[in-house]
Amino acid sequence: MSRAENHAARYRPLRPGIQLLNPRTGRPGTLGCVCIDQARDLWLVSCFHVLCDQPGGQAVSGDSIYQPSDQILSDAVAIVDSAMAFPSAGLDYAAARLLAPFAASNDVVGLGMVAGVAQ
C-alpha cells in the first residue's frame, strides 16, 4: 500500500498503526505496538478507552478485539484478560492477548519496522 494506506483495512499479520475494535466500547482505535511476555504470548497494546473502557474504569475479561474494525467482516484477533493486561484507565493503556492462529509484527503501517527501544 502507498502513503495513503487504509489503516482500517484487514491486515495479516497484525501491525501497529492499524485499527482495532472492541464492539462493547463501540470506538475503533489504533494498535500501538506488539509485545511478548515471558510465556512467549503476544499482546496487542493500545489505549484503555479502545480495548476495554467501561464506566468506572474497569476492564472486562473476555472482551474480544476485532480487526478490521468492521465487526461483520472481521475476525476476533485478541481477547482482554484484565488479570494479565494490567489495564489503567488513568494512564489510558491496556493490552489484549493475541489469539491463535494470528501473527503480529512491529512493522508500523506507513513508518516501517520498529528499530528498538530507548531509555
Side-chain angles (χ1 to χ4, degrees):
M1 290 188 181
S2 70
R3 184 109 168 98
E5 293 178 81
N6 181 353
H7 299 276
R10 179 186 193 90
Y11 283 88
R12 301 296 182 269
L14 302 171
R15 302 166 53 187
I18 64 173
Q19 210 172 65
L20 301 172
L21 173 72
N22 178 334
R24 188 179 49 73
T25 71
R27 295 184 292 187
T30 305
L31 171 57
C33 69
V34 179
C35 297
I36 189 167
D37 68 13
Q38 291 177 335
R40 311 285 302 156
D41 290 326
L42 294 177
W43 291 81
L44 307 181
V45 179
S46 187
C47 295
F48 182 90
H49 71 267
V50 172
L51 295 181
C52 49
D53 196 17
Q54 79 169 26
Q58 299 297 311
V60 176
S61 284
D63 274 3
S64 293
I65 306 301
Y66 289 83
Q67 202 291 314
S69 63
D70 178 352
Q71 185 183 357
I72 295 169
L73 301 174
S74 65
D75 296 307
V77 296
I79 192 161
V80 173
D81 179 347
S82 62
M84 296 296 295
F86 308 108
S88 171
L91 296 176
D92 199 21
Y93 74 85
R97 186 188 327 259
L98 189 66
L99 296 171
F102 297 102
S105 163
N106 270 322
D107 184 12
V108 182
V109 173
L111 296 177
M113 188 60 79
V114 173
V117 295
Q119 291 283 38

